[in-house]
Amino acid sequence: MRTVIIKLASKFVFVMLAFFTSPAVSAQEWTRIVALPETEFTCIKVIEGKIYTASENMLYTSTDGIAWQAEVITDDLITPTAIEVFNNTLYLGTFFNGVFQKNLTSNTTWSQSLSGIAVSSFTVHNSELYLSTFGAGIYKKGNTNWQNINYNLPTFSYNVSKIASINNILYAFAGGNGTFYSFSPNQLSWNVHYYFGALAPGFIADDVIKTNSNTVYVTRGNALLRSDDFTQTWNSDAIGLVNGNNRIIYAGMQSIYVLSLLFNDDNGINYTHLQKRSNSLPISSSWGTSNELLEYYCYGIAEFGNTVYLATEQGLFARIDNSLGLPNQGIEKVNMVIYPIPATDKIHFECALKVKEIVLYDLAGRLVHQQKNESRTGTIYFDKKGNYIANFILENGLIHSAKVIIN
């Protein structure tokens, strides 16, 4: 991740809540959302049918990408880095200002915790919320306070770029020597792993994603590593990628996006090379078939309905992508783990929200399986070989859609 630039001046907003409406977005070109300010947007995420993005001390939310709600988080200047919703509470991680949180079901104000901590990411694992930090290790949300759970994590690995729940295991991508760690809850200890089988001085993950299958990607500078067996083995998957200073990676519904970032060229202009590839392609496939050069630095990317959004140093940009085939309401991504993929006769799932029903369709759109469910976890029992689309109907009425494979 690029070092976040702390602004020296801020234009404070004296209203606590406002609504803005943006005109329609182009289907061909990237369009700045003119209803929002032309300033740095440093994080973006889609959660439970809403898109959240933040700039300095302001949070913006939308349910359709057209009407935006603006809210002041604090009167102080902050740099947002991560967003999460857990147990009806919105959490905003920041660079050196800790965490701001607000209950979404009651008319409460923002509160602050972990002041002075630089937050890098959040994750929900086994129905509990965790965060990672630059320099202070890992925290778990308790009933009232955040609890540090570094345990035996080496102090030289307290720089944690990302924390993630993968295959029902909590991972910390940390340290500057080609290391990452898995957590053993029974022993309360962190187990060290190596991307390259041994220490690799200078290698610390910039960004990490897990796809809907068993694939995990890690970026570092110009490197892109890929594991197709839940982090057990790693190989380079950078064929056709444009070089940059560092990279951001994002898993969409159908594609993997890679943003290769370059800043401060001879003209003082920052650039982003945006490339994407189908998430079903094998490791030997090239990224070179897709490349867009954008004249601004990007901090994040998100699909929301049939539109792709970019959080950039010049504002929030958007472009319609009809190949996504989703409206902005109804089918959205949520925090969900589905495993194993491929499966034989049972597919397990864990979700941040209660799943009320699961419906399986074959690729021709025929209904092949349906079952009720009234919890955040469950198992799909189905043994007919093939590729299917699983629709998980959630407690809030939204649908999480994922591809599953039965061998």
Side-chain angles (χ1 to χ4, degrees):
M1 174 182 286
R2 176 194 179 197
T3 301
V4 180
I5 300 173
I6 307 258
K7 292 287 194 304
L8 298 178
S10 175
K11 181 179 180 181
F12 291 105
V13 181
F14 295 100
V15 293
M16 287 302 297
L17 192 64
F19 291 90
F20 303 99
T21 302
S22 178
V25 179
S26 167
Q28 300 297 326
E29 302 294 334
W30 290 103
T31 303
R32 189 178 72 80
I33 305 298
V34 296
L36 305 185
E38 191 174 358
T39 187
E40 271 188 320
F41 280 76
T42 50
C43 60
I44 185 170
K45 191 169 185 180
V46 173
I47 310 171
E48 299 174 12
K50 286 187 178 181
I51 183 168
Y52 296 81
T53 187
S55 174
E56 298 179 342
N57 65 331
M58 297 293 298
L59 176 72
Y60 302 90
T61 61
S62 177
T63 58
D64 58 11
I66 299 174
W68 292 85
Q69 174 181 308
E71 185 175 359
V72 176
I73 304 163
T74 174
D75 288 338
D76 298 326
L77 177 62
I78 60 174
T79 303
T81 56
I83 300 171
E84 188 57 85
V85 173
F86 179 73
N87 285 348
N88 295 317
T89 300
L90 176 63
Y91 294 88
L92 183 83
T94 70
F95 197 67
F96 288 126
N97 292 97
V99 178
F100 290 83
Q101 58 263 350
K102 179 181 180 181
N103 190 285
L104 296 176
T105 58
S106 59
N107 189 23
T108 58
T109 59
W110 291 89
S111 60
Q112 185 181 9
S113 57
L114 298 180
S115 180
I117 297 295
V119 177
S120 56
S121 70
F122 294 104
T123 196
V124 176
H125 174 71
N126 287 343
S127 300
E128 294 184 292
L129 181 63
Y130 297 81
L131 67 78
S132 59
T133 74
F134 296 112
I138 301 154
Y139 288 80
K140 174 184 173 181
K141 186 69 174 71
N143 292 331
T144 57
N145 300 313
W146 290 95
Q147 303 166 357
N148 185 276
I149 58 166
N150 287 341
Y151 300 118
N152 66 323
L153 188 71
T155 55
F156 55 76
S157 290
Y158 281 10
N159 277 327
V160 186
S161 298
K162 205 70 171 281
I163 190 163
S165 180
I166 301 172
N167 198 28
N168 205 32
I169 298 173
L170 185 66
Y171 283 89
F173 294 86
N177 295 295
T179 56
F180 64 101
Y181 299 83
S182 62
F183 185 62
S184 296
N186 294 332
Q187 289 76 35
L188 296 180
S189 64
W190 293 94
N191 307 306
V192 64
H193 307 275
Y194 305 95
Y195 300 107
F196 308 105
L199 290 174
F203 191 98
I204 180 172
D206 289 327
D207 201 7
V208 181
I209 62 162
K210 180 192 175 298
T211 69
N212 284 333
S213 64
N214 56 353
T215 301
V216 182
Y217 290 92
V218 168
T219 68
R220 170 58 179 169
N222 286 322
L224 177 63
L225 301 183
R226 170 173 167 165
S227 172
D228 288 316
D229 52 12
F230 294 119
T231 78
Q232 299 305 301
T233 58
W234 297 88
N235 293 283
S236 175
D237 191 18
I239 296 174
L241 283 178
V242 177
N243 287 340
N245 298 104
N246 61 316
R247 290 194 171 113
I248 294 171
I249 189 165
Y250 172 79
M253 291 294 292
Q254 303 171 17
S255 301
I256 305 297
Y257 299 80
V258 175
L259 285 71
S260 299
L261 311 169
L262 305 93
F263 46 88
N264 294 332
D265 73 346
D266 293 338
N267 297 320
I269 300 174
N270 300 322
Y271 293 97
T272 299
H273 283 277
L274 172 60
Q275 297 174 268
K276 72 174 183 177
R277 191 179 71 182
S278 170
N279 56 20
S280 63
L281 290 177
I283 195 168
S284 58
S285 306
S286 175
W287 298 86
T289 57
S290 171
N291 180 24
E292 294 180 73
L293 179 63
L294 309 174
E295 291 190 358
Y296 37 76
Y297 191 97
C298 293
Y299 289 96
I301 181 172
E303 291 179 355
F304 184 52
N306 64 347
T307 305
V308 182
Y309 292 84
L310 293 173
T312 84
E313 63 180 349
Q314 296 180 17
L316 184 68
F317 285 75
R319 182 171 67 186
I320 291 174
D321 184 350
N322 289 318
S323 69
L324 299 177
L326 302 175
N328 272 333
Q329 297 170 314
I331 301 179
E332 294 301 337
K333 295 180 67 178
V334 296
N335 291 315
M336 177 174 283
V337 178
I338 303 168
Y339 62 95
I341 298 178
T344 52
D345 58 354
K346 290 182 289 188
I347 301 172
H348 307 288
F349 61 88
E350 301 172 8
C351 185
L353 297 175
K354 182 187 292 185
V355 177
K356 299 181 70 66
E357 187 177 12
I358 307 100
V359 182
L360 258 62
Y361 297 91
D362 64 18
L363 297 187
R366 294 183 291 261
L367 175 66
V368 296
H369 179 76
Q370 189 171 9
Q371 69 183 65
K372 298 293 184 180
N373 194 80
E374 288 295 337
S375 70
R376 297 181 179 182
T377 62
T379 302
I380 303 170
Y381 296 94
F382 188 73
D383 60 2
K384 186 176 180 180
K385 293 182 180 180
N387 296 339
Y388 301 93
I389 299 297
N391 283 346
F392 297 84
I393 293 93
L394 308 179
E395 59 181 340
N396 60 359
L398 297 179
I399 301 171
H400 176 86
S401 183
K403 182 178 179 181
V404 297
I405 302 171
I406 307 294
N407 282 346

